[in-house]
Amino acid sequence: DAEVQNGGHMQYFENRGTKLLPETLDALLILGAVRQHHILELASQQFLSRECPPIRTIKEYVSIALQGEFDTFDSDYFSCEPTIQKLLEDYLYRNREYFVEVVE
């Protein structure tokens, strides 16, 4: 979520790659982030459908980003409600016994 919020799906794929994509998609469903899951699934299909050499400079990154290949996915993601942060908070609340130990 932080990568997409900061620089969109292009930044997510450039920084994170696709190695953990299956786990990420599963985690989104566990959180109840059905729309975010669908958007990431579509964006990853587009990313994986083409040959993309590694981006080596900031200038190259900006040039490619300005082409807007992932803009629609980014806009859709930014409009998702509830947000990932809200879903994470809800998940923590429902499962706090696994995350928080109260010591008296």
Side-chain angles (χ1 to χ4, degrees):
D1 181 65
E3 294 283 5
V4 176
Q5 292 293 342
N6 186 46
H9 286 83
M10 182 177 151
Q11 178 173 309
Y12 170 82
F13 292 123
E14 287 301 318
N15 289 348
R16 301 292 174 191
T18 57
K19 182 179 178 183
L20 296 176
L21 190 57
E23 291 90 341
T24 303
L25 289 166
D26 288 346
L28 289 170
L29 290 179
I30 289 168
L31 289 175
V34 176
R35 281 192 63 212
Q36 292 93 332
H37 172 276
H38 181 68
I39 293 164
L40 180 58
E41 193 170 50
L42 294 175
S44 64
Q45 288 170 3
Q46 181 160 325
F47 181 78
L48 293 168
S49 73
R50 59 176 173 64
E51 185 71 30
C52 43
I55 296 174
R56 302 199 187 280
T57 66
I58 292 173
K59 184 177 179 180
E60 187 179 355
Y61 179 88
V62 169
S63 175
I64 293 169
L66 288 173
Q67 293 173 16
E69 179 179 7
F70 294 98
D71 286 357
T72 301
F73 300 116
D74 297 344
S75 294
D76 290 347
Y77 187 87
F78 299 146
S79 71
C80 286
E81 287 292 336
T83 65
I84 293 296
Q85 180 163 338
K86 174 67 172 136
L87 291 167
L88 283 167
E89 290 169 0
D90 292 348
Y91 186 84
L92 174 61
Y93 181 76
R94 288 190 315 273
N95 298 283
R96 65 184 167 272
E97 69 273 8
Y98 298 109
F99 298 100
V100 177
E101 181 179 351
V102 177
V103 180
E104 295 183 28

